[in-house]
Amino acid sequence: MRYELYYWPGLQGRGEFVRLALEEAAADYVDIALVPEEAGGGVPAMMRFLTGDHVQHPPFAPPFLKCGKQLIGQTANILLFVGGRLKLAPVDAAGKRWTHQLQLTLADLITEVHDTHHPIDTGWFYEEQRAAAKQRSAAFLAQRLPKFLGYFERVRQRNLGRGPGLVGDAVTYVDLSMAQVIAGLRFAFPSASRMALAACPHLQALHDEVFARPRLQAYLASGRRVAFNNDGIFRRYPELDI
Amino acid sequence: MRYELYYWPGLQGRGEFVRLALEEAAADYVDIALVPEEAGGGVPAMMRFLTGDHVQHPPFAPPFLKCGKQLIGQTANILLFVGGRLKLAPVDAAGKRWTHQLQLTLADLITEVHDTHHPIDTGWFYEEQRAAAKQRSAAFLAQRLPKFLGYFERVRQRNLGRGPGLVGDAVTYVDLSMAQVIAGLRFAFPSASRMALAACPHLQALHDEVFARPRLQAYLASGRRVAFNNDGIFRRYPELDI
């Protein structure tokens, strides 16, 4: 069964959390954003599922994954679905649940990161809400980011004797997402993230170990991974990095 | 098995989405916030799980549910877990997944509602961020709220011939959550929500049908349901309701 991943082209965004899992598992998948429109891919293919009257279970927004006749939306829900199939989640139900709970907590962090540069209106340009963005970023970097990172560092610590990641005895999709968040934070807030991560040696090690995995190394070298840029969730505005 | 629900006392908040499911199913549960501290309840009982070194799978934040030795956090994850057990979710895996996807989309809406009154810093008072709150609310009410409600109205429409709610052939936990969101919107934004809901007759009917259910009627009459107030997610500040 070939998976079809639908997401915006030109940015990592939430789609990247799904891509990393598919790449790490060497899954058979098509990134529809990379398929030319003339060949039935790209944004028009995605929009047909978002707005089409024929779609029984329409997603609210990308990313979504097509697997046979199933259309699955919400990043954490997609990862919950593919996690077991790709052997990137614990086998037992309680372990799957805990992994999903951590992924949902990461999703909350990711939403807060997005709101640092768009605290007022996602439809406005950043420049139109820069003053509020500075305030929101200051609060995020001072209070929320250390709280989230401290939480995940503690979760990693409690699993140190058991396995290489946050959960159970093997690498799971939430480890890949955690590493991606750290990479994104380092892009968006090089200075503030260095300070925040100084208190999180285990998360730093997790980041390095995840991105050193052979299949992710191959993915990074393939040119298929979009570079971080200011269209994604993690954006670099030096005035916010305080 | 008696469930233990851990959440802040004095507000509905995200805990209410779990309470509605437990009440509708007449589940055996204890709301720890209502248990006096002297009897081992209240906030100290909750904090022990959030901060205790002995907790193997600590939640990041309330609400969380204790079920035997399992501790389950993240509202949508809790509902995914109890949904099947309480017969408030479809029996098949694809139906459970779709229900969960809708709940996660509601969770996104709920986060945006919260940010209307706290767009800058959750640690500040509302009054300290009122100017930004006005801007964020205006954008939310003009763009985001109609988009979310229109989506759920469409989902309800596509299920009209099949069942009484958003999903499948029976009432599910996401119907209860949808009704709660509508009630909250009407509290927070009486004027703007009236306009937005005028385009959503099926969602309005769903709200009425959910809160007319005998067990939820009994819950509302019991005095156990906290009234909406300005400590929760949905807060009434007349200057934001435009």
Side-chain angles (χ1 to χ4, degrees), chain A residues 50 52 55 57-58 60 70 73-74 77 81 97-98 100-101 104-105 108 115 119 121 136 139 151 154 158, chain B residues 50 52 55 57-58 70 73-74 77 81 97-98 100-101 104-105 108 115 119 121 136 139 148 151 154 158:
Chain A
L50 289 173
V55 184
H57 294 166
F60 180 73
Q70 282 201 78
Q74 285 282 351
N77 194 41
F81 172 69
R97 206 148 36 232
W98 170 233
H100 185 52
Q101 179 176 329
L104 290 172
T105 305
D108 288 343
D115 282 5
D121 190 334
R136 172 115 190 188
Y151 171 76
R154 208 158 75 240
R158 289 187 197 179
Chain B
L50 290 172
V55 183
H57 294 166
Q70 281 201 79
Q74 284 282 351
N77 194 41
F81 172 69
R97 203 145 42 228
W98 171 233
H100 185 52
Q101 179 176 329
L104 290 173
T105 306
D108 288 343
D115 282 6
D121 189 335
R136 172 116 190 185
F148 274 107
Y151 171 76
R154 209 159 74 239
R158 289 187 198 180

Side-chain angles (χ1 to χ4, degrees), chain A residues 8-231:
Chain A
W8 302 108
L11 63 153
Q12 293 188 0
R14 288 182 171 82
E16 194 67 12
F17 298 98
V18 182
R19 285 192 204 100
L20 288 174
L22 295 168
E23 293 285 344
E24 170 59 26
D28 182 18
Y29 82 103
V30 189
D31 194 337
I32 299 293
L34 302 181
V35 177
E37 295 185 17
E38 311 81 70
V43 171
M46 184 175 86
M47 295 313 290
R48 278 196 291 276
F49 285 106
L50 289 173
T51 61
D53 285 335
H54 66 291
V55 184
Q56 176 69 17
H57 294 166
F60 180 73
F64 53 90
L65 190 77
K66 193 167 180 301
C67 173
K69 290 191 171 176
Q70 282 201 78
L71 206 60
I72 301 167
Q74 285 282 351
T75 310
N77 194 41
I78 297 169
L79 290 169
L80 177 64
F81 172 69
V82 298
R85 300 164 65 110
L86 302 180
K87 302 197 191 312
L88 286 172
V91 175
D92 61 304
K96 281 195 171 65
R97 206 148 36 232
W98 170 233
T99 311
H100 185 52
Q101 179 176 329
L102 293 175
Q103 188 70 37
L104 290 172
T105 305
L106 271 184
D108 288 343
L109 168 56
I110 291 161
T111 296
E112 295 196 24
V113 169
H114 173 270
D115 282 5
T116 58
H117 50 77
H118 276 73
I120 301 296
D121 190 334
T122 52
W124 289 2
F125 289 111
Y126 162 71
E127 289 71 17
E128 298 174 286
Q129 49 198 312
R130 186 188 279 144
K134 281 187 188 176
Q135 292 185 302
R136 172 115 190 188
S137 295
F140 171 75
L141 295 172
Q143 312 288 339
R144 300 292 290 170
L145 183 60
K147 184 175 175 180
F148 274 106
L149 291 181
Y151 171 76
F152 285 106
E153 176 77 5
R154 208 158 75 240
V155 168
R156 174 67 191 114
Q157 268 178 326
R158 289 187 197 179
N159 203 49
L160 274 180
R162 264 198 88 194
L166 296 167
V167 170
D169 58 6
V171 167
T172 68
Y173 63 79
V174 79
D175 297 324
L176 312 183
S177 292
M178 184 80 243
Q180 169 71 1
V181 165
I182 291 171
L185 289 168
R186 285 177 170 161
F187 171 76
F189 306 107
S191 168
S193 69
R194 194 182 318 117
M195 284 176 59
L197 285 165
C200 304
H202 296 108
L203 293 186
Q204 292 199 56
L206 180 66
H207 165 276
D208 296 349
E209 286 155 23
V210 162
F211 281 111
R213 294 178 72 81
R215 286 170 176 166
L216 294 188
Q217 279 281 306
Y219 172 51
L220 266 61
S222 72
R224 291 197 310 280
R225 176 158 152 115
V226 180
F228 284 109
N229 62 44
N230 278 9
D231 292 323

Side-chain angles (χ1 to χ4, degrees), chain B residues 12 26 38 50 65 82 84 87 94 101 119 128 143 154 161 169 194 202 207 216 222 224 240 242:
Chain B
Q12 293 186 0
E38 312 81 71
L50 290 172
L65 190 76
V82 298
K87 302 198 193 311
Q101 179 176 329
E128 298 174 285
Q143 312 289 337
R154 209 159 74 239
D169 59 6
R194 194 181 318 117
H202 296 109
H207 165 276
L216 294 188
S222 71
R224 291 198 309 280
L240 302 184
I242 45 172

